Amino acid sequence: MNEFFDPEWGSATLGVRAAEPRTGNREHSASVSLTSSYVFGSAAQAAAVFSGNEPGFIYSRFTNPTTEAFEKRLAAMEGGESCVATASGMAAVMTMCLALLKQGDHIVSSRGLFGSTINLFGNILTKFGITISFVDQTDVAAWEAAVQPNTKLLFAETPTNPLVELVDIAALADIAHRHGALLAVDNCFLTPVLQQPLKLGADLVIHSATKYIDGQGRCVGGAIVGDAQRVGKNVFGFMRTAGPCMSPFNAWVFLKGLETLAVRMKAHCENAHGLAEWLSEQPTVARVHYPGLVTHPQHELARHQQSGFGAVVAFEVEGGRDAAWRVVDSTRLISITANLGDTRTTITHPATTTHGRISAEARAQAGIGEGLLRVAVGLEDLKDLTADLARGLTL
Ligand SMILES: *Cc1c(COP(=O)(O)O)cnc(C)c1O
């Protein structure tokens, strides 16, 4: 490993240059280390490495050079001391909770979370005696009001899916710390290129590497970033024993993904901003949700909390479900799928897909109407994306 890097480098430089893995063969591009275990020269060396007295790889459930390079590079980009890579984004949320919480603890989080995270908090962790309060994403006072004496974690996603609502990370960090709790932020939508929650006071960052870090829709993975004690020791210790680890092959794909992340995020944001502006001018579009538009209620917060506005745009068409489905069904280029963070633009009708299984009442409360569509903007030419959407909007 080329250990030299300067934490003051920009995120593009860190993405390319931090923690370059290198073997004795002096390869320039990272090689992938596909081995489940490592051999020792003697019984004494095996004992020394197992006991931690001598550094070295043991077994790829918890130590692998390719996975370690990905962890070190992502930690550098987020400004964190330690990172543990996981099998998926959901494995990252689960691992963080099981490593750092215990029976009797309480979590406060927004109602606007990724669906599987809501399910994990509301239906699975509760089986182990961890309780949860869900609050309105944008209402910082509601977060504080929900804190109980046993609250140990505030968990936020910003911006949310699909309505791209923000929450003030520094304000939540302040609430968490005044009440002896931790703040974790799922930074999947923006990546460290556009937002660095640890620098705003968060204690932990969660990633689904499946999205922009891969960026081309190939591998599933995740990560937890934070300080050396909580992540480097406690989360790592849980991983060593419980094993929801990232495959070294996937770590190699994500490591290479980090090299182009800054340039891709810039292109994603430019396309999304252009699409949001174009949608705002369409007569059959009632409302566009994009933090980069001055009409977004939290545009100012987005400007100072983020260094770009992201690539997810939601919009409401006149005419409810029929009109929305017509836009979806008139596309020829955009993929009809709920995935995001891909080179390919995707479109989804949240009310009948990602949010289809919650009650109509809960959907209405979450602001997800029948005319709402979500586009995760990819890297195609903007003119081809607008032409593809224009067909269904002007019928
Ligand atoms: C996709 C996603 C996850 C879950 O990640 P997986 O890699 O699919 O397990 C968590 N949070 C957000 C915001 C996501 O978009």
Side-chain angles (χ1 to χ4, degrees):
M1 171 107 54
N2 178 6
E3 294 282 355
F4 172 75
F5 69 87
D6 181 344
E8 297 303 317
W9 282 342
S11 54
T13 310
L14 288 169
V16 175
R17 289 292 183 177
E20 294 178 89
R22 193 161 289 161
T23 71
N25 294 328
R26 296 177 286 102
E27 68 275 20
H28 190 205
S29 179
S31 57
V32 52
S33 183
L34 289 180
T35 177
S36 52
S37 64
Y38 298 83
V39 290
F40 304 100
S42 66
Q45 191 192 25
V49 175
F50 265 81
S51 68
N53 290 334
E54 184 181 321
F57 300 103
I58 298 172
Y59 187 60
S60 288
R61 187 195 314 123
F62 53 97
T63 49
N64 174 278
T66 315
T67 309
E68 183 185 57
F70 167 71
E71 291 169 338
K72 286 194 165 169
R73 188 173 293 179
L74 183 60
M77 293 175 80
E78 286 286 2
E81 293 169 350
S82 293
C83 171
V84 170
T86 55
S88 67
M90 288 318 302
V93 182
M94 175 198 72
T95 298
M96 177 191 70
C97 291
L98 295 188
L100 301 180
L101 301 178
K102 62 179 190 317
Q103 185 181 19
D105 288 348
H106 174 250
I107 304 173
V108 179
S109 107
S110 153
R111 254 182 219 112
L113 291 181
F114 183 69
S116 297
T117 310
I118 295 208
N119 205 9
L120 177 71
F121 287 170
N123 298 321
I124 297 180
L125 291 186
T126 46
K127 289 200 294 188
F128 302 95
I130 294 169
T131 52
I132 168 96
S133 299
F134 291 110
V135 296
D136 276 348
Q137 167 83 356
T138 59
D139 184 353
V140 171
W143 286 75
E144 179 142 36
V147 170
Q148 301 174 5
N150 58 339
T151 301
K152 291 290 157 52
L153 181 71
L154 270 58
F155 187 95
E157 239 173 79
T158 177
T160 55
N161 178 34
L163 290 174
V164 288
E165 289 180 324
L166 276 60
V167 67
D168 187 332
I169 295 175
L172 287 193
D174 180 52
I175 294 171
H177 299 154
R178 272 193 284 111
H179 295 277
L182 301 173
L183 172 65
V185 176
D186 180 332
N187 202 25
C188 164
F189 267 45
L190 293 179
T191 82
V193 172
L194 303 181
Q195 175 171 273
Q196 292 161 351
L198 299 177
K199 294 186 180 162
L200 298 167
D203 304 287
L204 298 147
V205 167
I206 292 288
H207 273 288
S208 167
T210 318
K211 312 295 167 51
Y212 296 100
I213 291 179
D214 175 331
Q216 298 182 47
R218 298 163 295 191
C219 293
V220 175
I224 305 145
V225 188
D227 66 276
Q229 177 61 38
R230 280 186 205 99
V231 175
K233 290 223 157 51
N234 302 350
V235 173
F236 175 78
F238 177 88
M239 171 63 71
R240 179 174 182 147
T241 302
C245 58
M246 177 178 281
S247 135
F249 178 80
N250 290 3
W252 178 78
V253 172
F254 297 135
L255 185 71
K256 301 308 283 181
L258 289 177
E259 294 184 10
T260 56
L261 187 62
V263 68
R264 284 188 287 108
M265 291 315 291
K266 193 165 170 232
H268 275 292
C269 290
E270 266 173 32
N271 258 0
H273 209 145
L275 187 73
E277 280 174 351
W278 177 83
L279 284 166
S280 309
E281 291 159 7
Q282 304 310 303
T284 50
V285 172
R287 184 163 174 204
V288 181
H289 304 260
Y290 184 66
L293 298 178
V294 289
T295 52
H296 189 284
Q298 295 165 299
H299 177 64
E300 279 310 313
L301 176 60
R303 282 169 60 108
H304 80 251
Q305 179 162 286
Q306 310 174 185
S307 56
F309 298 115
V312 174
V313 180
F315 61 102
E316 289 160 34
V317 295
E318 312 269 14
R321 182 189 296 196
D322 289 350
W325 278 24
R326 191 166 64 229
V327 174
V328 174
D329 290 336
S330 302
T331 58
R332 292 179 197 153
L333 177 158
I334 296 176
S335 313
I336 307 173
T337 169
N339 195 26
L340 66 101
D342 198 310
T343 50
R344 286 153 289 206
T345 298
T346 66
I347 190 163
T348 182
H349 181 244
T352 51
T353 59
T354 50
H355 295 70
R357 279 171 302 164
I358 62 175
S359 69
E361 200 185 349
R363 235 183 352 258
Q365 200 185 16
I368 298 172
E370 290 286 332
L372 185 77
L373 291 167
R374 188 205 76 185
V375 176
V377 184
L379 300 180
E380 303 94 336
D381 287 298
L382 179 59
K383 71 175 177 54
D384 299 324
L385 298 175
T386 53
D388 208 37
L389 291 170
R391 212 175 294 114
L393 284 171
T394 52
L395 269 182

